[in-house]
Amino acid sequence: MTVRKVPTAEFPTINDALVVSAPYDTIRVGEGNFSEALTINIDGLRIIGAGKGKTIIDGQTLGASDGITINNQLVTIENLTVQNFKGTGIFVNFQNNIVHKVQVINNEIGIELNNGSRNMVFECDINGNVGDGIISRRGNTFIMHCKLINNKSNGLLVESNVSKNLIFCCVAEQNTKNGFFVGGRLCYVFSNAAIKNGDNGFSDSITSFENIYAFNKSLDNMMNGFLIDSEVTLFDNVSKNNVLNGISAMNGVTRIIKNHVSNNKKAGIQVGSNENVIDRNFVKNNKEAGVHIAGDETAVRSNCIRGNNPDILLEESIMDSTFAENDCETSIPQGLCEENDIINVQKGKSIQQAVNGAEDGFQINVNEGIFHEQVNIPISKQRLRIVGSGRCKTILDGTNIEGDGITISSRLNSLENLTVQNFGVNGVNIEEDFNTLEKIQSKNNIEDGFMITEDVSFFNHCEAIMNGRNGFNGEDTNYFIKCKANKNQSHGFIVVDCNIFLFNEAKNNILNGFSFNDEHICIENCAIDNRANGFLSRFDDNLWFLNKAIGNSLNGIEVNEIDHIIWGNVCNKNQSNGVELTGFNNRVLKNICQMNKDNGIKVIEILQPEVNTIIDQNCIENNGEAGIIIEDSTIDFFGIRSNCLSGNNPDIQNNSLEDNNMSIDENKCNTSIPDGLCEGICELKKFYKR
């Protein structure tokens, strides 16, 4: 139970404090310049400075060395600057570490995530380094809210064969090469900005596939806004004023949907290989073609393409492209703006007959009405787009029909704007990958609202309501954005591995709101009034970030197994615990846990007594039992640090009989078992209001 302060007479340098530190200790470093390199071989250590530009670790006089090397897990580096090292500023050589609010400037490389997965770099400034700002060499890495400016190579480099990196809300500006170079696969690139970089704003490599780019901005870069490889999804991005193309997709099987692409010096959107979907984009005032098609089997539908030269360019010898409902004026060859590969389905007619008669890439528009039929998109039909007139207007009704409502057995299809209800099995059954569903409502079906047995499908603004089993039942690697799963008879969302959840809601389901296996990313979702847990993890490696779990009948968040990050969530008014941990290697930081019937945060020994868990900087108030409880007497290897607790019974309860390899420090609270764990009083914060 030790906090060491630097500089003091006892510890004039950080290394003086480091050499006597034990697992889960804290080193607090005041303002000043520290000409030293640090190597951390201690689990759970915190090194916390006085702020960026105030606590400075400087390598100017040290020769060739790295600034901070991390060789153990659960280390936190926070609130300081690392500069002028001839090696890497921060070299991370193990798993499950946090680099937070750190400035890394003028080093050979900024931050190198060399070994170990599930490292988190959050709210850092990585500027002016001689090489790359950040290099990621391992999967399951989280790089969030960082600024990567004026580095002499790439702002961020994800190396080839690296998978499942999350890049979220970062800015890469005026880097000599690419803003973001994503050489890996299955990487998730959301809500970033690439501005005035020397090469591309966002770039894949020839080894990349199945990456997703959504809600990003790429502006004023010296090459392409987005240069991407194969099997990539681009959704709702902005690409403007780049010297080459706005979006250049070179190797096919791409979904380019709802992007804003304008004022680029060459083409707006360019595809160079086969099997592409280009739907609902705004493509305006690019110097060359608005949409340049150099690959077979490309569907171009419902785009606004104006002021380009020409608006659509279809290269000679390209085959099997389709066009529908594009708002444009010029094309090569002529007539593509007027071409409408559409089948209209009126009330009383058959959607399935339209599917049977459609060629690949056709659009099927379905009028308002109730259609008593099943629809199957067979493996022989691809790139179809079925568009209803709106949820609760175009209704596929399965009363007295056994089987699924809509079955999708091929790839790159789109369903939009309709309701599927009352079927004998599932509302929608997706049996192939790379499909897109937007504004689909699936309700009152006997089994699942959406059954997803393949990967890389994209769900936006879909609803699963009052189904007999689960709302959404999925396998691996699907994307759920702004969907709702309410009043289903089992789980709201239940998925296997590697799914992404952004801004979804699960409410009033009979079991869990969200139920996961491994490697999920869950950001800003709501789980409200479900009759089991709000969020349940059955296995490993999940990220919960800024979610809300309120009024659920069991726990707000329950995690089993290992290697989870629970950061910035609100867990209030649940009937059991706010957060319950039953595994090890977990990080629980900056959460709000208020007015839960049992404990705010509960740690239980199930897998092993060495829980290797940190519980830091949480706000825990007015829970019925303990604010934080270490349940079992044999639990060891943990840190409870810098939390604010008030009105719990008690605020901290440590039942562990171990006295080594643990730390309970700097907690502001009133009551504890045993006595003496509180250091000052927590100022009461406003409760979260439902």
Side-chain angles (χ1 to χ4, degrees):
M1 187 184 298
T2 303
V3 178
R4 295 176 176 86
K5 294 184 178 180
V6 176
T8 60
E10 186 178 6
F11 304 114
T13 71
I14 304 170
N15 274 300
D16 289 331
L18 185 59
V19 75
V20 296
S21 291
Y24 304 97
D25 283 356
T26 297
I27 300 173
R28 286 203 173 267
V29 188
E31 294 188 25
N33 278 50
F34 299 85
S35 182
E36 51 185 319
L38 310 177
T39 298
I40 300 171
N41 299 314
I42 303 166
D43 283 353
L45 184 75
R46 289 195 301 174
I47 298 179
I48 303 175
K52 298 175 187 175
K54 295 180 179 180
T55 300
I56 300 171
I57 300 174
D58 196 310
Q60 186 71 50
T61 63
L62 297 182
S65 69
D66 299 326
I68 300 175
T69 300
I70 302 173
N71 292 325
N72 280 59
Q73 67 174 341
L74 299 171
V75 172
T76 300
I77 308 296
E78 191 169 62
N79 286 333
L80 50 79
T81 292
V82 182
Q83 66 183 32
N84 298 329
F85 283 89
K86 295 177 178 62
T88 299
I90 300 177
F91 187 85
V92 182
N93 208 32
F94 208 72
Q95 65 190 17
N96 292 338
N97 296 293
I98 296 170
V99 181
H100 182 218
K101 292 185 177 179
V102 174
Q103 183 183 53
V104 187
I105 58 176
N106 198 33
N107 305 284
E108 186 67 28
I109 296 170
I111 297 176
E112 195 168 351
L113 304 169
N114 183 65
N115 199 6
S117 58
R118 298 173 300 278
N119 291 300
M120 185 177 196
V121 182
F122 183 44
E123 295 184 325
C124 292
D125 298 334
I126 300 97
N127 305 335
N129 296 286
V130 176
D132 298 304
I134 298 177
I135 300 176
S136 174
R137 293 199 168 99
R138 288 294 181 267
N140 295 90
T141 290
F142 311 114
I143 301 167
M144 306 167 68
H145 291 267
C146 291
K147 295 179 181 178
L148 308 129
I149 299 173
N150 198 30
N151 299 287
K152 301 306 184 285
S153 187
N154 302 289
L156 168 65
L157 169 64
V158 179
E159 289 197 339
S160 60
N161 301 316
V162 171
S163 65
K164 303 168 194 166
N165 277 210
L166 171 67
I167 306 162
F168 182 68
C169 287
C170 295
V171 176
E173 185 171 358
Q174 293 184 320
N175 299 286
T176 300
K177 292 186 177 180
N178 303 285
F180 301 89
F181 188 89
V182 185
R185 61 176 293 268
L186 276 175
C187 292
Y188 320 118
V189 186
F190 294 109
S191 301
N192 304 284
I195 304 168
K196 295 182 179 179
N197 296 287
D199 288 349
N200 305 289
F202 297 84
S203 180
D204 277 356
S205 75
I206 59 173
T207 61
S208 301
F209 62 98
E210 294 186 352
N211 294 326
I212 181 170
Y213 298 84
F215 315 119
N216 302 288
K217 292 183 178 180
S218 192
L219 312 175
D220 299 301
N221 299 288
M222 296 303 294
M223 294 182 70
N224 302 283
F226 295 83
L227 178 64
I228 60 171
D229 203 68
S230 63
E231 299 188 4
V232 173
T233 300
L234 292 106
F235 180 81
D236 204 3
N237 302 286
V238 174
S239 187
K240 287 185 176 182
N241 299 321
N242 299 290
V243 172
L244 297 182
N245 306 293
I247 296 172
S248 183
M250 300 313 297
N251 284 314
V253 193
T254 57
R255 290 180 289 191
I256 303 173
I257 299 172
K258 206 177 177 182
N259 301 283
H260 185 126
V261 186
S262 62
N263 297 105
N264 298 287
K265 302 303 186 291
K266 287 201 168 185
I269 298 173
Q270 179 186 60
V271 292
S273 192
N274 302 341
E275 291 191 273
N276 307 287
V277 169
I278 304 173
D279 286 352
R280 295 182 292 134
N281 300 282
F282 181 89
V283 187
K284 186 175 181 181
N285 294 339
N286 299 284
K287 292 292 184 182
E288 297 184 3
V291 176
H292 182 172
I293 304 166
D296 296 338
E297 301 173 320
T298 296
V300 183
R301 301 168 301 205
S302 298
N303 301 284
C304 178
I305 316 172
R306 290 294 186 113
N308 309 283
N309 186 30
D311 290 330
I312 300 176
L313 171 60
L314 178 66
E315 290 193 3
E316 293 183 12
S317 78
I318 297 303
M319 301 175 62
D320 299 323
S321 291
T322 55
F323 304 87
E325 292 185 341
N326 295 297
D327 179 5
C328 61
E329 296 178 325
T330 59
S331 69
I332 298 175
Q334 294 182 357
L336 299 180
C337 294
E338 293 74 32
E339 186 171 331
N340 262 331
D341 295 318
I342 290 176
I343 298 173
N344 292 306
V345 180
Q346 306 293 330
K347 182 178 180 180
K349 300 296 184 179
S350 170
I351 302 171
Q352 186 62 53
Q353 286 183 4
V355 169
N356 295 341
E359 298 180 16
D360 288 353
F362 266 45
Q363 179 167 314
I364 298 170
N365 290 339
V366 186
N367 280 12
E368 292 187 27
I370 299 176
F371 297 82
H372 294 282
E373 60 176 324
Q374 295 171 278
V375 173
N376 176 34
I377 302 176
I379 195 170
S380 60
K381 304 281 185 179
Q382 297 194 48
R383 302 183 308 286
L384 295 186
R385 182 180 181 218
I386 300 176
V387 184
S389 299
R391 287 180 291 207
C392 301
K393 294 181 179 179
T394 299
I395 300 171
L396 207 63
D397 186 83
T399 302
N400 298 322
I401 298 176
E402 294 297 324
D404 301 321
I406 299 176
T407 301
I408 303 175
S409 301
S410 61
R411 66 190 339 207
L412 288 171
N413 301 289
S414 298
L415 297 179
E416 301 167 28
N417 299 328
L418 53 84
T419 292
V420 184
Q421 65 183 34
N422 299 330
F423 280 89
V425 187
N426 305 298
V428 180
N429 184 6
I430 301 175
E431 298 179 340
E432 191 51 90
D433 60 3
F434 272 93
N435 291 291
T436 302
L437 288 81
E438 184 159 4
K439 296 182 180 178
I440 301 297
Q441 182 186 70
S442 185
K443 66 178 186 178
N444 291 321
N445 302 288
I446 295 298
E447 294 192 9
D448 298 320
F450 297 86
M451 168 61 78
I452 309 138
T453 56
E454 281 294 335
D455 57 5
V456 203
S457 283
F458 185 89
F459 298 83
N460 184 40
H461 282 283
C462 293
E463 297 179 353
I465 302 171
M466 295 185 290
N467 295 286
R469 289 204 317 186
N470 307 293
F472 295 82
N473 186 351
E475 290 288 329
D476 300 346
T477 319
N478 295 290
Y479 310 110
F480 301 90
I481 298 176
K482 297 181 181 178
C483 295
K484 293 183 178 181
N486 297 341
K487 298 182 180 180
N488 299 285
Q489 293 300 303
S490 188
H491 305 281
F493 297 85
I494 182 168
V495 289
V496 181
D497 297 333
C498 308
N499 292 273
I500 307 297
F501 293 86
L502 299 178
F503 323 123
N504 302 283
E505 176 187 275
K507 187 175 181 180
N508 293 123
N509 298 287
I510 296 299
L511 294 180
N512 303 294
F514 297 81
S515 183
F516 301 154
N517 278 9
D518 298 323
E519 298 181 337
H520 300 282
I521 292 170
C522 194
I523 299 176
E524 293 193 47
N525 303 279
C526 292
I528 301 172
D529 293 332
N530 299 286
R531 296 189 194 175
N533 301 287
F535 299 88
L536 171 67
S537 169
R538 299 183 296 273
F539 295 105
D540 308 337
D541 298 344
N542 296 301
L543 169 67
W544 284 269
F545 185 74
L546 303 183
N547 301 286
K548 295 177 181 176
I550 301 170
N552 300 285
S553 296
L554 293 178
N555 303 295
I557 299 174
E558 179 182 326
V559 298
N560 300 288
E561 301 290 336
I562 62 173
D563 296 327
H564 303 283
I565 301 177
I566 304 170
W567 185 301
N569 303 281
V570 174
C571 299
N572 289 358
K573 297 185 179 179
N574 300 287
Q575 293 300 301
S576 188
N577 305 295
V579 177
E580 181 174 295
L581 310 171
T582 62
F584 57 95
N585 290 359
N586 296 306
R587 288 165 282 178
V588 185
L589 296 99
K590 294 181 178 291
N591 302 283
I592 297 174
C593 298
Q594 299 170 327
M595 297 176 284
N596 298 287
K597 187 172 182 180
D598 293 338
N599 306 285
I601 298 173
K602 182 177 183 179
V603 181
I604 306 170
E605 175 195 334
I606 290 181
L607 298 176
Q608 63 181 43
E610 296 85 6
V611 295
N612 293 316
T613 289
I614 56 174
I615 302 172
D616 292 349
Q617 301 181 62
N618 300 281
C619 176
I620 307 173
E621 299 173 335
N622 290 358
N623 297 283
E625 297 180 9
I628 299 173
I629 182 169
I630 302 299
E631 178 80 3
D632 301 292
S633 63
T634 55
I635 289 178
D636 202 359
F637 290 89
F638 61 88
I640 300 173
R641 304 169 302 193
S642 304
N643 299 284
C644 182
L645 305 100
S646 177
N648 307 286
N649 186 30
D651 289 331
I652 299 175
Q653 181 172 340
N654 178 24
N655 294 332
S656 174
L657 299 179
E658 304 293 334
D659 56 6
N660 295 316
N661 303 313
M662 53 169 279
S663 181
I664 302 178
D665 287 323
E666 299 186 333
N667 297 290
K668 302 294 186 182
C669 56
N670 297 299
T671 58
S672 68
I673 299 174
D675 292 336
L677 302 180
C678 297
E679 302 177 33
I681 297 173
C682 176
E683 294 183 6
L684 192 65
K685 293 179 172 61
K686 292 182 179 179
F687 289 158
Y688 174 76
K689 301 296 184 183
R690 290 185 58 180

